[in-house]
Amino acid sequence: MTLSVAQIDRETDQLVGEWLTLTEVARRLNLSAGRAKQLLKDRKLIGVRRGGGEPQVPAAFLAGTEVVKGLSGTLTVLLDAGYDDVESLRWLFTPDDTLPGSPVDAIVAGRHTEVKRRAQALGF
């Protein structure tokens, strides 16, 4: 499987806010650049191109030196529901009053099971 990284639209870019280059992700997670790329290939993380250059990943996807617990499972469910990377980012970062906050805020807060349940409902 080759690494395909989508170009992001301005609205989604602004929803996400803070971004990290893949090099920064590798440094924070104490990984080689190749292993960081593999996280994208394996959909443990999703990254996009923002105006060229290397792929960038939302900073909210990392907690200290680890990927936020529950993120990769949610990304898999979104892929299964037919969402591409940009649509997944848009869904994860769009505020939802019923959570409250955005789905990614809920994942960071440890409520990834609830977010996964909601993402599963998208496919039906």
Side-chain angles (χ1 to χ4, degrees):
M1 175 188 251
T2 60
L3 179 62
S4 98
V5 179
Q7 184 74 33
I8 194 163
D9 62 277
R10 186 173 166 186
E11 182 182 333
T12 306
D13 189 344
Q14 290 174 340
L15 265 178
V16 172
E18 185 182 355
W19 295 88
L20 300 171
T21 64
L22 206 50
T23 301
E24 292 168 321
V25 170
R27 192 172 322 128
R28 284 197 185 187
L29 299 178
N30 199 25
L31 300 172
S32 68
R35 183 66 191 118
K37 271 188 189 171
Q38 190 65 42
L39 291 175
L40 292 178
K41 287 180 187 175
D42 294 344
R43 289 197 58 85
K44 305 290 184 205
L45 290 173
I46 51 178
V48 294
R49 295 210 186 277
R50 299 174 62 236
E54 69 179 301
Q56 294 189 27
V57 173
F61 288 175
L62 302 184
T65 59
E66 297 180 358
V67 174
V68 172
K69 182 179 178 182
L71 177 66
S72 66
T74 303
L75 294 176
T76 299
V77 171
L78 289 169
L79 179 65
D80 291 348
Y83 281 51
D84 66 23
D85 288 352
V86 174
E87 291 166 332
S88 294
L89 287 171
R90 197 174 302 124
W91 186 82
L92 284 165
F93 284 89
T94 297
D96 180 339
D97 293 340
T98 65
L99 279 172
S102 66
V104 78
D105 293 334
I107 292 170
V108 169
R111 298 192 330 267
H112 51 88
T113 304
E114 172 64 18
V115 173
K116 235 183 288 188
R117 191 175 306 120
R118 289 171 186 231
Q120 286 170 331
L122 297 171
F124 298 99

